[in-house]
Each structure stands twice: as C-alpha cells, then as structure tokens.
Amino acid sequence: MIRQQELDRAAAIIRSGGLVAIPTETVYGLGADALNAQAVARIYAVKGRPSTSPLIVHVCSVEMARSLVTDWPQSASRLAARYWPGPLTIVLPKKPVVPDIVTAGLSTVGLRMPAHPAALELIRRSATPLAAPSANRFTGISPTTAEHVRRSLGDQIDMILDGGPCDVGIESTVLSLAGPATLLRPGMIPLEELESVIGQPLAKAGMAEGAHPSPGMHARHYSPRTPLLIVDGSLPPGRGAYLWWRRELEAELKLRLGDTAEAYAHQLYDALDRADQAGLDWIAIEAVPQAMEWCGIRDRIQRASARD
Ligand code: TXA
Ligand code: MG
C-alpha cells in the first residue's frame, strides 16, 4: 500500500516540474505535469526518446479529459463509460492548453484514465493531467514492477511510487477517434467488443498484425538486448532462454508463461526481463495462438524480435 505521505510528496514533485514513476494497471509510467512543457521535455531526455514520439496524457476524470480536447464525441462517452478507468487510450483533437511537445507536434492527444488507485490519487492531488510514457529507456522492455523501473531509470528520476506488479502487463489499446475510428495499437481489449461499443467497424487499412503505423510506433520496440526469436518446436544451438506456454523444450533457462492471453500478458515483460538479465546467447519465445485475444501479445512479441 502506498502511504498518504508518499502521495503528497509525489504530488509536490509533479507540481514543481519533476518526474515520478507511477504504477498503472498496464505498465509503469514515467509521469510529469502534462501542462508544463519543461517538465515534459525531461521525460524525453531521461528516456532517450525521439521528440517525434507522442506521449499519452493520463487523467482522473472524464471532465479532465474533456478539458484537453476540442471535441468529445458520443463514441468517446460510450468508450469512457465502458472502459475507464482502464487500459484504453483515446486519441482526439487537442486544445492549445496541451503543449506541442506532449503530442510531438501533432494536433491530436492520446488520453487515458488508468485503473490504479495510486495513479488516480496522484493525478487528483497534483490537480493536473500527467503525461506518461512507459518508464523504460527508448525501445527497451516496458516495466511491470517498481524494481524494473529502479534498475533502468532509478538514478535519473525524482521518485518511484511502488504500487506492486501491474495487472494487465502490456500497454493500453490505442484508438483514434480523430476521424474514422482507427486502431493504432492493439492491447488486451477485444477488438470486436470495441466495435460493438462504438457501433461501427474499426478502420483496418494495413492492419495485418493488428497495428496501424502510428507516430512513435517503431518496428523494433519493447526489446531486450539479447537477440530474440520466435520459435515453433525447435531451439537454436548454444545457451539460451526459452519462454514457453505449451511445448516444453530443453534450454539453459526455461520460463513458463500462462496459457490464457490474460495470464500470459501479465507475465510476459517480467519473463523477458529475467531472460535478458541471464546474459545468454539468445531468447526464444514459443509462437502464441493466432486467436483475436492474443493480437496485442503477438504485436509486442513481433516488435521485440524485430531487427531494425
Ligand atoms: O499502457 C500504456 O499506454 C502505458 C501506460 C504508462 O499508460 N503508456 C505507454 O506509453 O505505453 P508509450 O509512450 O510507451 O506509448 C504511447 C503510444 C505512442 O508510441 C503512440 O504510438 C501512441 O501511444 N500515441 C500517443 N499519442 C498519440 C497521438 N496523438 N496520435 C497517435 N498515436 C499516439
Ligand atoms: Mg513505451
């Protein structure tokens, strides 16, 4: 449990332009006052993130979300009622109050209300929305525990709020409502369900693996340093780590993941991190099911194994 005093200290840091790592239900975020351009500039510097990659803005109420956008369509109301607080980011045209650096110069902003009591309480006490990307170095694995954050960014940020391991385990679903509803990044929310809440099909151009190209979505992302490959039934020679869910094979380090999409997502980044820490020659991940509910997981595994 996070103590009241810690939340007060975190809110004071946010209000004075500092950086606080925050627990959310998806992954840990690196939070700063979204309305303070200088504070947001520090996020990019600490992450080593290119300024062409927009940040998600975290809110604690629909009212706060509406204060940041020029238009709040019916579909946004329905999605927020169904999924907020929760792992859904909604992209809408921004108001000038949101500094350009937050959105990498785009005219739209991604908004999300995280389902973690500490994150919500921090936003309330800071009385400002929080810009927060995942709290890892650019292209690295997203952190799902406070310990992951400490190891990668600990000495460069002002505070880490430890809210325990993240429930969901992979990043939010990102959906644009600026124009026809379009999926920008798959997460753990079933796409058919999103379509039925919006009442129309999602735009699907270029959606072979579930993801649209979106600013800041690089092929190589969420990657360990150790070379990673997706395997089905056999492993490369040498010493390596094998992440499996169905078919066990002999390897130096074997990590078993859950066999439902939810359990698997919850464990994936911690397993990747542990495999990476082991300092072996390779990490092999057993291919995962083609079913729709695994599409966010397939997206992350594919990016983690991309070479560019
Ligand atoms: O679950 C999550 O979404 C986590 C937690 C901390 O909330 N955050 C996260 O942030 O994953 P980040 O910065 O690692 O990924 C944000 C992605 C960007 O790479 C970009 O693709 C998309 O969200 N995005 C943000 N704002 C956008 C915008 N205005 N237009 C299009 N895409 C946007
Ligand atoms: Mg990230």
Side-chain angles (χ1 to χ4, degrees), residues 50-186:
S51 56
T52 49
S53 199
L55 306 179
I56 292 171
V57 174
H58 298 69
V59 298
C60 62
S61 66
V62 168
E63 192 191 348
M64 188 182 265
R66 294 183 70 151
S67 73
L68 302 173
V69 294
T70 57
D71 183 32
W72 182 257
Q74 268 291 318
S75 50
S77 286
R78 287 202 299 272
L79 288 167
R82 174 74 176 77
Y83 296 108
W84 281 5
L88 177 69
T89 297
I90 303 175
V91 173
L92 285 167
K94 78 175 189 75
K95 277 193 183 147
V97 65
V98 180
D100 287 336
I101 188 169
V102 172
T103 62
L106 296 176
S107 60
T108 55
V109 60
L111 300 172
R112 145 169 147 77
M113 191 193 298
H116 193 292
L120 289 173
E121 190 52 32
L122 176 60
I123 300 167
R124 258 180 234 122
R125 289 186 192 204
S126 308
T128 188
L130 296 188
S134 51
N136 53 281
R137 289 198 51 82
F138 183 60
T139 77
I141 303 168
S142 294
T144 53
T145 67
E147 181 50 34
H148 293 166
V149 181
R150 206 167 285 125
R151 222 185 307 122
S152 70
L153 301 177
D155 52 354
Q156 299 173 73
I157 64 184
D158 301 304
M159 186 176 179
I160 300 172
L161 278 177
D162 187 346
C166 301
D167 276 346
V168 176
I170 68 169
E171 301 80 356
S172 61
T173 301
V174 180
L175 186 67
S176 174
L177 296 179
T182 305
L183 179 72
L184 298 178
R185 177 174 74 183

Side-chain angles (χ1 to χ4, degrees), residues 25-27 142-144 166-171 188 262 265-270:
E25 80 283 27
T26 57
V27 301
S142 294
T144 53
C166 301
D167 276 346
V168 176
I170 68 169
E171 301 80 356
M188 291 306 286
E262 285 68 33
H266 175 69
Q267 299 162 336
L268 176 63
Y269 288 154
D270 185 55

